[in-house]
Amino acid sequence: MAHLLHRAIREQDDHLLDLGCGEGTWLLRALQAHGGVTAVGVDISGEGFDRTLNEAARLGLEDRLELRRQDVAEYRSTRKADLVLSVGAAYAFGGLLPTLHAAREHLAEDGMLLLGDCFWEREPDAAVRAELEDGPQKYADLPTTVAQVVADGWTPVYGYISTIAEWDEYEWCWTGTLAQWALDHPGHPGSDLALRTSAAHRTSWLGGYRGILGFVVLLLRRTPPPASAEVS
């Protein structure tokens, strides 16, 4: 995360906008590392906002961070961002290309986009594809994914592909935290559901898309229009 932000933030007074910010972790990290940066995060959930804002206050950063609980597709910014982030949130816009379009609307003319999305490491079988593409979002292999981004008017200036170890860490934490909570609260009305959800997701991952679904983060700039041909 740190090295991506280091490449993406070019000026100490850059303004950041994270569309689908989750708890706001990326933004808090950016504020800590870059003294004059300001940031707005938008997410429909709002879960974890209080924790992040409390940590920002503890660090003396609260006046530079705003977290808004709102549908990212409906959010309209009042200030163009020098850096727009959208990492793992393309489903909220309906897919890769709509996400690129939404980001462009919020971005300053010379701004940068930090985009994270899934791709197929290997061709999935029909069951895995049906499970993970059950909504409007569809995936492609990495060359096709990057080609789609380029065709939409963007130039990649950096990229990072998550390793299998990073995927595993994420999935074990996701399923394990949910299972741990369920086991620690056996009398809670949501305990059984949490345990079943954890088990179902773990089975889907280990027996389905592990090693097949990948994740890439691309740092993008707008591609300039081609220079006009000189008249001979």
Side-chain angles (χ1 to χ4, degrees):
M1 181 188 298
H3 77 284
L4 288 167
L5 290 171
H6 177 73
R7 287 177 176 270
I9 298 173
R10 292 174 288 175
E11 303 292 340
Q12 285 296 321
D13 62 349
D14 275 358
H15 180 61
L16 279 54
L17 172 64
D18 192 342
L19 299 171
C21 66
E23 295 183 359
T25 304
W26 282 76
L27 296 181
L28 186 60
R29 181 73 64 87
L31 293 178
Q32 289 177 267
H34 301 270
V37 162
T38 57
V40 175
V42 184
D43 198 284
I44 198 170
S45 168
E47 184 175 352
F49 276 12
D50 288 345
R51 181 166 56 250
T52 300
L53 290 171
N54 288 338
E55 180 64 8
R58 187 185 72 80
L59 296 169
L61 305 172
E62 69 274 18
D63 61 335
R64 294 195 281 131
L65 176 64
E66 178 186 0
L67 298 178
R68 298 175 60 97
R69 183 177 180 181
Q70 187 177 351
D71 185 338
V72 292
E74 297 177 358
Y75 175 72
R76 299 293 179 267
S77 54
T78 57
R79 177 183 177 184
K80 295 292 186 180
D82 301 291
L83 173 64
V84 171
L85 304 91
S86 184
V87 180
Y91 64 90
F93 297 98
L96 177 63
L97 295 181
T99 303
L100 293 171
H101 175 75
R104 188 179 279 111
E105 296 298 311
H106 297 287
L107 197 61
E109 190 61 33
D110 192 37
M112 303 181 80
L113 168 61
L114 196 62
L115 173 78
D117 201 14
C118 293
F119 67 94
W120 294 121
E121 289 267 18
R122 295 188 287 114
E123 182 65 22
D125 62 31
V128 170
R129 184 181 289 278
E131 178 184 359
L132 297 183
E133 294 186 339
D134 62 345
Q137 190 172 9
K138 310 300 178 188
Y139 304 122
D141 60 28
L142 183 58
T144 303
T145 299
V146 174
Q148 290 173 340
V149 171
V150 171
D152 195 59
W154 301 87
T155 297
V157 296
Y158 188 69
Y160 181 81
I161 299 170
S162 297
T163 66
I164 187 69
E166 289 168 332
W167 259 115
D168 287 351
E169 174 69 9
Y170 168 78
E171 296 288 5
W172 283 122
C173 288
W174 193 100
T175 58
T177 299
L178 194 58
Q180 184 98 306
W181 178 87
L183 295 172
D184 286 344
H185 300 83
H188 192 282
S191 177
D192 288 345
L193 176 60
L195 205 55
R196 291 196 304 271
T197 300
S198 172
H201 187 92
R202 186 176 62 246
T203 298
S204 174
W205 159 52
L206 291 175
Y209 62 85
R210 184 176 185 268
I212 296 175
L213 189 68
F215 193 83
V216 62
V217 180
L218 299 171
L219 183 58
L220 306 169
R221 294 181 64 179
R222 288 185 178 94
T223 304
S228 300
E230 292 186 6
V231 178
S232 57

